[in-house]
């Protein structure tokens, strides 16, 4: 089964300084059919005005991943981290027993564009921690998150993997899905066809009860592929 989550059908909130699109129920957006998918709880695509951002706020028992597409995030947290996350970088924070943090657009003259993704952890009450990494320029399929941090990936406290997959126009590949696993594909840019189902920028595909995915790039494209546990 492949379900297409069209970009324009997501929840939308425009606060002036923040233009945010919600894949799943979040804040004032509620849809009982979109409370999450497997271990995914939040996928927000945010556009943040220059110099604006989120002041200090708390989190608990959540794996919080940020992927910066354009601009720079200025991050500060109660663990003592004060960092900048540049375009192309991934940052993960385990909230665990509790953290507070703030995130701002570090540029004074251009918007910040990012994905913020929340993943439910396997275990509650872990010690909070922070990591960020700039991977090599996107080329092919790169492992970004894994439970064992293998191959230079960032560690996540969940039985899941995230790959960033960059494809050239007309590139074709196959992805094998293990029994009972679920897959979520978020299209970052370009247009792809997954088992014949076309998806464009900011679209997503929820996939279950499939053994093989045929992935074709209709143009130069980038996707995030989440390989997730059964519900």
């Amino acid at each position: 089964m492949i379900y297409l989550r069209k970009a324009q059908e997501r929840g939308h909130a425009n606060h002036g300084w923040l233009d945010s699109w919600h894949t799943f129920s979040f804040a004032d957006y509620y849809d009982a059919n979109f409370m999450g998918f497997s271990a995914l709880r939040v996928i927000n695509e945010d556009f943040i005005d220059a110099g604006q951002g989120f002041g200090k706020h708390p989190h608990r028992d959540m794996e919080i991943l940020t992927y910066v597409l354009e601009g720079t995030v200025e991050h500060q947290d109660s663990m003592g981290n004060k960092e900048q996350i540049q375009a192309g970088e991934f940052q993960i924070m385990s909230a665990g027993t509790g953290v507070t943090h703030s995130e701002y657009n570090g540029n004074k003259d251009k918007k910040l564009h990012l994905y913020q993704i929340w993943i439910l952890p396997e275990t509650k009450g872990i010690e909070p921690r922070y990591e960020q990494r700039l991977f090599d320029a996107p080329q092919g399929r790169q492992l970004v998150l894994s439970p064992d941090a293998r191959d230079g990936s960032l560690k996540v406290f969940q039985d899941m993997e995230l790959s960033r997959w960059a494809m050239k126009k007309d590139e074709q590949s196959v992805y094998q899905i293990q029994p009972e696993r679920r897959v979520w594909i978020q299209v970052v840019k370009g247009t792809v066809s997954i088992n014949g189902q076309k998806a464009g920028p900011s679209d997503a595909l929820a996939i279950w009860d499939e053994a093989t995915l045929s992935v074709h790039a209709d143009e130069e494209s980038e996707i995030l592929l989440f390989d997730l546990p059964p519900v």
Side-chain angles (χ1 to χ4, degrees), residues 172-184:
Q172 178 97 19
S173 192
V174 171
Y175 186 81
Q176 301 291 341
I177 304 175
Q178 296 301 309
E180 298 186 1
R181 300 287 292 182
R182 294 193 165 206
V183 169
W184 182 275

Side-chain angles (χ1 to χ4, degrees), residues 155-166:
K155 182 176 178 61
V156 62
F157 286 92
Q158 178 54 264
D159 176 24
M160 62 150 290
E161 294 179 357
L162 166 63
S163 298
R164 177 174 63 176
W165 201 339

Side-chain angles (χ1 to χ4, degrees), residues 185-203:
I185 292 177
Q186 189 73 38
V187 182
V188 176
K189 68 176 183 180
T191 305
V192 298
S193 297
I194 310 294
N195 288 7
Q197 175 71 69
K198 191 180 293 289
S202 300
D203 289 346

Side-chain angles (χ1 to χ4, degrees), residues 192-228:
V192 298
S193 297
I194 310 294
N195 288 7
Q197 175 71 69
K198 191 180 293 289
S202 300
D203 289 346
L205 299 118
I207 301 160
W208 64 98
D209 294 336
E210 300 280 343
T212 303
L213 296 181
S214 175
V215 184
H216 179 269
D218 301 337
E219 58 184 315
E220 185 175 334
S221 302
E222 180 185 339
I223 63 175
L224 299 178
L225 189 152
F226 298 82
D227 190 314
L228 298 155

Side-chain angles (χ1 to χ4, degrees), residues 103-174:
E103 292 177 305
Y104 283 90
N105 182 343
N107 291 307
K108 305 302 180 185
D109 57 354
K110 62 180 180 180
K111 282 185 180 288
L112 170 63
H113 180 197
L114 59 82
Y115 274 102
Q116 184 168 110
I117 298 160
W118 295 5
I119 301 157
L120 297 167
E122 278 188 309
T123 305
K124 293 184 177 181
I126 64 175
E127 182 179 352
R129 51 110 203 186
Y130 175 96
E131 280 188 281
Q132 72 183 75
R133 187 155 304 153
L134 177 62
F135 293 85
D136 293 338
Q139 183 177 351
R141 187 157 63 92
Q142 299 172 314
L143 187 62
V144 173
L145 289 184
S146 67
D148 54 2
R150 71 180 185 281
D151 300 332
S153 60
L154 295 166
K155 182 176 178 61
V156 62
F157 286 92
Q158 178 54 264
D159 176 24
M160 62 150 290
E161 294 179 357
L162 166 63
S163 298
R164 177 174 63 176
W165 201 339
M167 304 181 73
K168 297 177 181 177
K169 185 179 186 300
D170 292 327
E171 185 177 339
Q172 178 97 19
S173 192
V174 171

Side-chain angles (χ1 to χ4, degrees), residues 16-67:
W17 64 273
L18 168 66
D19 191 19
S20 185
W21 293 86
H22 309 319
T23 295
F24 305 120
S25 295
F26 184 85
D28 292 333
Y29 168 63
Y30 176 79
D31 186 329
N33 294 317
F34 293 96
M35 297 302 296
F37 182 77
S38 180
L40 291 175
R41 178 59 189 87
V42 169
I43 300 180
N44 287 350
E45 185 175 10
D46 291 344
F47 300 83
I48 301 169
D49 281 352
Q52 299 295 314
F54 303 94
K56 285 186 179 181
H57 58 282
H59 292 283
R60 294 181 66 90
D61 292 323
M62 194 67 70
E63 301 286 282
I64 299 172
L65 177 73
T66 301
Y67 178 28

